[in-house]
Amino acid sequence: MSDFIDLKLQYLGIEIIERSIVTPENMTEIPATFNFKINVKVQVDTNELTVIPLVSVVISDQPGGTEFGKIIVKNIIKVSNLNDLLVNENKENPLNEKVLKLLSETAISTTRGVMWDSFRGTFLHGAILPIIDPDGGAVIKGSLKNSNL
């Protein structure tokens, strides 16, 4: 069995759903390091042949520490051969696991660029999202919408 997956995709859009920056009153200097809490929820629309990863990133000084900011980015991706990639038995995570991981990694990478641009000129400009392995650093969940399965 081959690991090759024929994935025919095109980015249709990127939307910033939410963006916030909170500068603590007692901040005297910009933190040298940041902590990122990442959550990815993936919605699959079989009628529109789209996969919509919604990436949420909360930026803080340490795990469970002071929240400095948050961004939620919606990635809209058309997958023309989407129906070939569905796992019918599991509507909680309807996509093939490799495809789900690849699209989530792509959405996280896109969010990194959106963060860099959105936080430019603020104390969060240095909060550059590191390269993330969704298996070890992000929560990924999928759901099926408008499915004819």
Side-chain angles (χ1 to χ4, degrees), residues 53-117:
L54 195 64
V55 180
S56 170
V57 180
V58 176
I59 306 163
S60 61
D61 57 349
Q62 60 186 340
T66 303
E67 185 177 312
F68 294 142
K70 179 178 185 177
I71 193 162
I72 300 175
V73 178
K74 180 179 184 178
N75 298 259
I76 305 164
I77 306 168
K78 181 170 182 99
V79 182
S80 59
N81 62 333
L82 179 63
N83 292 322
D84 298 335
L85 305 170
L86 296 174
V87 179
N88 295 334
E89 313 84 56
N90 188 351
K91 290 191 178 190
E92 181 65 28
N93 287 307
L95 283 175
N96 170 306
E97 282 298 318
K98 289 181 183 178
V99 173
L100 181 64
K101 183 177 177 183
L102 176 68
L103 293 176
S104 296
E105 289 171 343
T106 302
I108 290 170
S109 180
T110 300
T111 299
R112 180 182 302 110
V114 171
M115 285 175 60
W116 186 85
D117 187 60

Side-chain angles (χ1 to χ4, degrees), residues 41-55:
K41 292 184 179 176
V42 180
Q43 186 176 39
V44 179
D45 186 331
T46 56
N47 290 337
E48 297 294 325
L49 299 177
T50 56
V51 176
I52 303 171
L54 195 64
V55 180

Side-chain angles (χ1 to χ4, degrees), residues 38-41 134 137-141:
I38 303 162
N39 187 22
V40 182
K41 292 184 179 176
V139 177
I140 300 172
K141 296 182 178 178

Side-chain angles (χ1 to χ4, degrees), residues 16 19 21 71 73 113-122:
I16 299 173
R19 183 187 88 137
I21 299 173
I71 193 162
V73 178
V114 171
M115 285 175 60
W116 186 85
D117 187 60
S118 294
F119 296 138
R120 185 181 353 198
T122 73

